[in-house]
Amino acid sequence: MNQNQFNFEINAKIPGALGRAGVIHTPHGDIQTPAFVVVGTYSKVRFLPPYQFNNIGAQAMISNGFHLSKISKDIEQYGGLSKYSEYNCPTITDSGGFQIMSFGSGLGKVISMDKRNIAREQFKAENKNRLARVTDEGVYFKTNETAAEKLFTPEYSMEFQHKIGADIIMAFDELTNIGDSREYNEKALNRTYEWGVRCLLKHQKLTGEHAGKPYQALFGVLQGAHYQDLREKAARDLGALDFDGYGLGGAFEKEHLSDILFWCNRILPESKPRHLLGLSKPDDIFVGVENGCDTFDCVAPTREARHGKVYTLDGDINLRNAKFRGDSSTLFEGCQCPTCKSSYTRGEIRKLLKNEGGLKTSEQIMADKKLAMELITTHNVYFIIRLTHQIRQSIFKKNFFDFRDEWLKRYYE
């Protein structure tokens, strides 16, 4: 590994906990941690143009490796994901494992974190009838019941992620869901380890072949559901391999999050960064930081913005509700995001969203909605970025727990 291009330093720790504040150095810039990584699925963050991305202090972006695999050669020729995206920031891609597994939804391979809506083992389709058919070699998948099967392997995941050129890439793993049995989770965990080894070997080979390119850090991904011994085994096994960092993944009940992260991160090498995949609710971020996670990502801030939800320190609001008609206040008083510092009020943004104010052409309606979504998206992403920045400062000031308790009390009560 080229230490001048990728490394992680710890600057402060939370006394009595696993949490820390640090810096991840990458070829395309530094990430001050804890940090929220903005999701740009197709290399762009919807309704967040590059100039606003920088204005709100966004440090990094994570993209969907599976979807970008289709244009990986184009991205490579353009100079890599950071340049192609136009955000010119540190970038991350996932392995494609989640998307491959999710193709099985409805035919037995269901990815879910909702224990009220899962496919228990007795209701699952046979493996041969699923859209995603898992084997030791890789995952055979098809996008619909009549499509031809395609084989997706750890080696292929490394190939297209190297072409995309993100600063951090993820090893291919098997994501189970909370309806899978312990027996199946044991098999999946062993399979994920073997795939991790294969990813490392392919990654090392490709890195050697592209010596002139910036170094790409490879993160191993831990699974194991809510089983302590499986999570600890994953941490020991993957922690002993030459990964540059680790992703913590899996579908599990929210109440198990703290335990799972503690089990994993107390074993993983302290000197390497850890990324919590797919979670960004404030209480999840606090739990993640306390238990040793450094970076976070989730589509929620941007997706919820498109449905009118606005984040505030006093809890979330939805501008589509009638009570905000004519509201002359900013999205949240005291917020320093570009939207709140502009002249737009809650009522005005709601008017743009709801197509109120007389007859408009279809083009005008679309332009108004686009503007409203940009305004709310900018605010929501800033809100979560600001939270992680404040958490970072609380670690340096050694008042993390007091800050956590005061912040969460206001937000959730």
PDB file of all heavy atoms in Angstrom, residues 7-28:
ATOM      1  N   ASN A   7      -4.119   6.466   3.903  1.00  0.00           N
ATOM      2  CA  ASN A   7      -3.855   6.011   5.263  1.00  0.00           C
ATOM      3  C   ASN A   7      -4.852   6.673   6.210  1.00  0.00           C
ATOM      4  O   ASN A   7      -5.587   7.593   5.827  1.00  0.00           O
ATOM      5  CB  ASN A   7      -2.402   6.269   5.696  1.00  0.00           C
ATOM      6  CG  ASN A   7      -2.050   7.739   5.713  1.00  0.00           C
ATOM      7  OD1 ASN A   7      -2.391   8.448   6.656  1.00  0.00           O
ATOM      8  ND2 ASN A   7      -1.360   8.202   4.674  1.00  0.00           N
ATOM      9  N   PHE A   8      -4.864   6.185   7.423  1.00  0.00           N
ATOM     10  CA  PHE A   8      -5.827   6.651   8.413  1.00  0.00           C
ATOM     11  C   PHE A   8      -5.082   7.004   9.688  1.00  0.00           C
ATOM     12  O   PHE A   8      -4.254   6.231  10.172  1.00  0.00           O
ATOM     13  CB  PHE A   8      -6.858   5.551   8.690  1.00  0.00           C
ATOM     14  CG  PHE A   8      -7.847   5.878   9.781  1.00  0.00           C
ATOM     15  CD1 PHE A   8      -8.657   6.988   9.696  1.00  0.00           C
ATOM     16  CD2 PHE A   8      -7.969   5.053  10.903  1.00  0.00           C
ATOM     17  CE1 PHE A   8      -9.573   7.287  10.690  1.00  0.00           C
ATOM     18  CE2 PHE A   8      -8.878   5.342  11.900  1.00  0.00           C
ATOM     19  CZ  PHE A   8      -9.685   6.463  11.795  1.00  0.00           C
ATOM     20  N   GLU A   9      -5.372   8.179  10.216  1.00  0.00           N
ATOM     21  CA  GLU A   9      -4.769   8.583  11.477  1.00  0.00           C
ATOM     22  C   GLU A   9      -5.860   8.910  12.490  1.00  0.00           C
ATOM     23  O   GLU A   9      -6.909   9.459  12.138  1.00  0.00           O
ATOM     24  CB  GLU A   9      -3.851   9.789  11.297  1.00  0.00           C
ATOM     25  CG  GLU A   9      -4.528  11.050  10.765  1.00  0.00           C
ATOM     26  CD  GLU A   9      -3.579  12.222  10.701  1.00  0.00           C
ATOM     27  OE1 GLU A   9      -3.143  12.691  11.774  1.00  0.00           O
ATOM     28  OE2 GLU A   9      -3.289  12.686   9.576  1.00  0.00           O
ATOM     29  N   ILE A  10      -5.615   8.542  13.727  1.00  0.00           N
ATOM     30  CA  ILE A  10      -6.554   8.807  14.821  1.00  0.00           C
ATOM     31  C   ILE A  10      -6.042  10.005  15.612  1.00  0.00           C
ATOM     32  O   ILE A  10      -4.902  10.017  16.070  1.00  0.00           O
ATOM     33  CB  ILE A  10      -6.688   7.570  15.725  1.00  0.00           C
ATOM     34  CG1 ILE A  10      -7.244   6.385  14.930  1.00  0.00           C
ATOM     35  CG2 ILE A  10      -7.599   7.878  16.915  1.00  0.00           C
ATOM     36  CD1 ILE A  10      -7.228   5.072  15.692  1.00  0.00           C
ATOM     37  N   ASN A  11      -6.908  11.006  15.783  1.00  0.00           N
ATOM     38  CA  ASN A  11      -6.512  12.239  16.464  1.00  0.00           C
ATOM     39  C   ASN A  11      -7.048  12.353  17.885  1.00  0.00           C
ATOM     40  O   ASN A  11      -6.459  13.058  18.710  1.00  0.00           O
ATOM     41  CB  ASN A  11      -6.988  13.453  15.665  1.00  0.00           C
ATOM     42  CG  ASN A  11      -6.465  13.459  14.238  1.00  0.00           C
ATOM     43  OD1 ASN A  11      -7.228  13.656  13.298  1.00  0.00           O
ATOM     44  ND2 ASN A  11      -5.175  13.225  14.052  1.00  0.00           N
ATOM     45  N   ALA A  12      -8.174  11.699  18.164  1.00  0.00           N
ATOM     46  CA  ALA A  12      -8.765  11.771  19.509  1.00  0.00           C
ATOM     47  C   ALA A  12      -9.680  10.575  19.701  1.00  0.00           C
ATOM     48  O   ALA A  12     -10.191  10.005  18.728  1.00  0.00           O
ATOM     49  CB  ALA A  12      -9.545  13.072  19.697  1.00  0.00           C
ATOM     50  N   LYS A  13      -9.895  10.195  20.958  1.00  0.00           N
ATOM     51  CA  LYS A  13     -10.743   9.046  21.274  1.00  0.00           C
ATOM     52  C   LYS A  13     -11.790   9.428  22.314  1.00  0.00           C
ATOM     53  O   LYS A  13     -11.622  10.388  23.066  1.00  0.00           O
ATOM     54  CB  LYS A  13      -9.893   7.887  21.798  1.00  0.00           C
ATOM     55  CG  LYS A  13      -8.869   7.347  20.807  1.00  0.00           C
ATOM     56  CD  LYS A  13      -8.089   6.187  21.405  1.00  0.00           C
ATOM     57  CE  LYS A  13      -7.043   5.655  20.446  1.00  0.00           C
ATOM     58  NZ  LYS A  13      -6.283   4.506  21.024  1.00  0.00           N
ATOM     59  N   ILE A  14     -12.866   8.636  22.341  1.00  0.00           N
ATOM     60  CA  ILE A  14     -13.909   8.804  23.356  1.00  0.00           C
ATOM     61  C   ILE A  14     -13.524   7.956  24.560  1.00  0.00           C
ATOM     62  O   ILE A  14     -13.450   6.726  24.447  1.00  0.00           O
ATOM     63  CB  ILE A  14     -15.286   8.369  22.830  1.00  0.00           C
ATOM     64  CG1 ILE A  14     -15.678   9.173  21.586  1.00  0.00           C
ATOM     65  CG2 ILE A  14     -16.342   8.524  23.921  1.00  0.00           C
ATOM     66  CD1 ILE A  14     -16.961   8.709  20.934  1.00  0.00           C
ATOM     67  N   PRO A  15     -13.275   8.553  25.712  1.00  0.00           N
ATOM     68  CA  PRO A  15     -12.899   7.762  26.896  1.00  0.00           C
ATOM     69  C   PRO A  15     -13.976   6.735  27.239  1.00  0.00           C
ATOM     70  O   PRO A  15     -15.172   7.044  27.260  1.00  0.00           O
ATOM     71  CB  PRO A  15     -12.780   8.817  28.002  1.00  0.00           C
ATOM     72  CG  PRO A  15     -12.499  10.100  27.271  1.00  0.00           C
ATOM     73  CD  PRO A  15     -13.280  10.000  25.992  1.00  0.00           C
ATOM     74  N   GLY A  16     -13.564   5.501  27.448  1.00  0.00           N
ATOM     75  CA  GLY A  16     -14.487   4.451  27.837  1.00  0.00           C
ATOM     76  C   GLY A  16     -15.309   3.876  26.704  1.00  0.00           C
ATOM     77  O   GLY A  16     -16.250   3.117  26.950  1.00  0.00           O
ATOM     78  N   ALA A  17     -14.998   4.230  25.463  1.00  0.00           N
ATOM     79  CA  ALA A  17     -15.746   3.717  24.310  1.00  0.00           C
ATOM     80  C   ALA A  17     -14.776   3.465  23.164  1.00  0.00           C
ATOM     81  O   ALA A  17     -13.582   3.755  23.257  1.00  0.00           O
ATOM     82  CB  ALA A  17     -16.830   4.698  23.895  1.00  0.00           C
ATOM     83  N   LEU A  18     -15.298   2.920  22.069  1.00  0.00           N
ATOM     84  CA  LEU A  18     -14.468   2.606  20.909  1.00  0.00           C
ATOM     85  C   LEU A  18     -14.359   3.763  19.927  1.00  0.00           C
ATOM     86  O   LEU A  18     -13.568   3.711  18.993  1.00  0.00           O
ATOM     87  CB  LEU A  18     -15.039   1.388  20.176  1.00  0.00           C
ATOM     88  CG  LEU A  18     -15.071   0.070  20.950  1.00  0.00           C
ATOM     89  CD1 LEU A  18     -15.758  -1.015  20.113  1.00  0.00           C
ATOM     90  CD2 LEU A  18     -13.667  -0.374  21.340  1.00  0.00           C
ATOM     91  N   GLY A  19     -15.146   4.809  20.131  1.00  0.00           N
ATOM     92  CA  GLY A  19     -15.212   5.901  19.175  1.00  0.00           C
ATOM     93  C   GLY A  19     -13.947   6.721  19.110  1.00  0.00           C
ATOM     94  O   GLY A  19     -13.192   6.836  20.074  1.00  0.00           O
ATOM     95  N   ARG A  20     -13.743   7.325  17.921  1.00  0.00           N
ATOM     96  CA  ARG A  20     -12.565   8.158  17.714  1.00  0.00           C
ATOM     97  C   ARG A  20     -12.842   9.197  16.638  1.00  0.00           C
ATOM     98  O   ARG A  20     -13.790   9.078  15.852  1.00  0.00           O
ATOM     99  CB  ARG A  20     -11.365   7.300  17.310  1.00  0.00           C
ATOM    100  CG  ARG A  20     -11.472   6.563  15.981  1.00  0.00           C
ATOM    101  CD  ARG A  20     -12.128   5.195  16.088  1.00  0.00           C
ATOM    102  NE  ARG A  20     -12.055   4.472  14.815  1.00  0.00           N
ATOM    103  CZ  ARG A  20     -11.084   3.618  14.482  1.00  0.00           C
ATOM    104  NH1 ARG A  20     -10.108   3.385  15.330  1.00  0.00           N
ATOM    105  NH2 ARG A  20     -11.082   3.011  13.308  1.00  0.00           N
ATOM    106  N   ALA A  21     -12.017  10.227  16.606  1.00  0.00           N
ATOM    107  CA  ALA A  21     -12.015  11.215  15.535  1.00  0.00           C
ATOM    108  C   ALA A  21     -10.686  11.099  14.818  1.00  0.00           C
ATOM    109  O   ALA A  21      -9.651  10.929  15.454  1.00  0.00           O
ATOM    110  CB  ALA A  21     -12.200  12.628  16.093  1.00  0.00           C
ATOM    111  N   GLY A  22     -10.724  11.166  13.505  1.00  0.00           N
ATOM    112  CA  GLY A  22      -9.489  10.992  12.761  1.00  0.00           C
ATOM    113  C   GLY A  22      -9.551  11.593  11.383  1.00  0.00           C
ATOM    114  O   GLY A  22     -10.420  12.420  11.070  1.00  0.00           O
ATOM    115  N   VAL A  23      -8.621  11.181  10.534  1.00  0.00           N
ATOM    116  CA  VAL A  23      -8.567  11.643   9.155  1.00  0.00           C
ATOM    117  C   VAL A  23      -8.235  10.454   8.257  1.00  0.00           C
ATOM    118  O   VAL A  23      -7.264   9.731   8.512  1.00  0.00           O
ATOM    119  CB  VAL A  23      -7.494  12.728   8.954  1.00  0.00           C
ATOM    120  CG1 VAL A  23      -7.516  13.229   7.510  1.00  0.00           C
ATOM    121  CG2 VAL A  23      -7.684  13.894   9.912  1.00  0.00           C
ATOM    122  N   ILE A  24      -9.054  10.259   7.228  1.00  0.00           N
ATOM    123  CA  ILE A  24      -8.748   9.284   6.191  1.00  0.00           C
ATOM    124  C   ILE A  24      -8.127  10.046   5.030  1.00  0.00           C
ATOM    125  O   ILE A  24      -8.766  10.916   4.426  1.00  0.00           O
ATOM    126  CB  ILE A  24     -10.013   8.542   5.717  1.00  0.00           C
ATOM    127  CG1 ILE A  24     -10.687   7.818   6.880  1.00  0.00           C
ATOM    128  CG2 ILE A  24      -9.656   7.544   4.613  1.00  0.00           C
ATOM    129  CD1 ILE A  24     -12.026   7.195   6.513  1.00  0.00           C
ATOM    130  N   HIS A  25      -6.875   9.752   4.737  1.00  0.00           N
ATOM    131  CA  HIS A  25      -6.180  10.398   3.623  1.00  0.00           C
ATOM    132  C   HIS A  25      -6.375   9.557   2.370  1.00  0.00           C
ATOM    133  O   HIS A  25      -6.094   8.351   2.367  1.00  0.00           O
ATOM    134  CB  HIS A  25      -4.693  10.533   3.939  1.00  0.00           C
ATOM    135  CG  HIS A  25      -4.392  11.333   5.163  1.00  0.00           C
ATOM    136  ND1 HIS A  25      -4.468  12.718   5.193  1.00  0.00           N
ATOM    137  CD2 HIS A  25      -4.026  10.948   6.421  1.00  0.00           C
ATOM    138  CE1 HIS A  25      -4.141  13.152   6.398  1.00  0.00           C
ATOM    139  NE2 HIS A  25      -3.882  12.096   7.171  1.00  0.00           N
ATOM    140  N   THR A  26      -6.857  10.167   1.300  1.00  0.00           N
ATOM    141  CA  THR A  26      -7.074   9.466   0.034  1.00  0.00           C
ATOM    142  C   THR A  26      -6.411  10.254  -1.098  1.00  0.00           C
ATOM    143  O   THR A  26      -6.067  11.433  -0.930  1.00  0.00           O
ATOM    144  CB  THR A  26      -8.575   9.305  -0.293  1.00  0.00           C
ATOM    145  OG1 THR A  26      -9.061  10.517  -0.901  1.00  0.00           O
ATOM    146  CG2 THR A  26      -9.391   8.998   0.951  1.00  0.00           C
ATOM    147  N   PRO A  27      -6.243   9.644  -2.259  1.00  0.00           N
ATOM    148  CA  PRO A  27      -5.637  10.353  -3.395  1.00  0.00           C
ATOM    149  C   PRO A  27      -6.398  11.601  -3.821  1.00  0.00           C
ATOM    150  O   PRO A  27      -5.827  12.497  -4.439  1.00  0.00           O
ATOM    151  CB  PRO A  27      -5.639   9.296  -4.503  1.00  0.00           C
ATOM    152  CG  PRO A  27      -5.575   7.996  -3.779  1.00  0.00           C
ATOM    153  CD  PRO A  27      -6.414   8.207  -2.549  1.00  0.00           C
ATOM    154  N   HIS A  28      -7.697  11.672  -3.508  1.00  0.00           N
ATOM    155  CA  HIS A  28      -8.496  12.819  -3.942  1.00  0.00           C
ATOM    156  C   HIS A  28      -8.909  13.721  -2.778  1.00  0.00           C
ATOM    157  O   HIS A  28      -9.853  14.510  -2.908  1.00  0.00           O
ATOM    158  CB  HIS A  28      -9.727  12.340  -4.712  1.00  0.00           C
ATOM    159  CG  HIS A  28      -9.400  11.741  -6.040  1.00  0.00           C
ATOM    160  ND1 HIS A  28      -9.215  10.386  -6.223  1.00  0.00           N
ATOM    161  CD2 HIS A  28      -9.169  12.323  -7.250  1.00  0.00           C
ATOM    162  CE1 HIS A  28      -8.918  10.145  -7.488  1.00  0.00           C
ATOM    163  NE2 HIS A  28      -8.878  11.295  -8.132  1.00  0.00           N
TER     164      HIS A  28
END
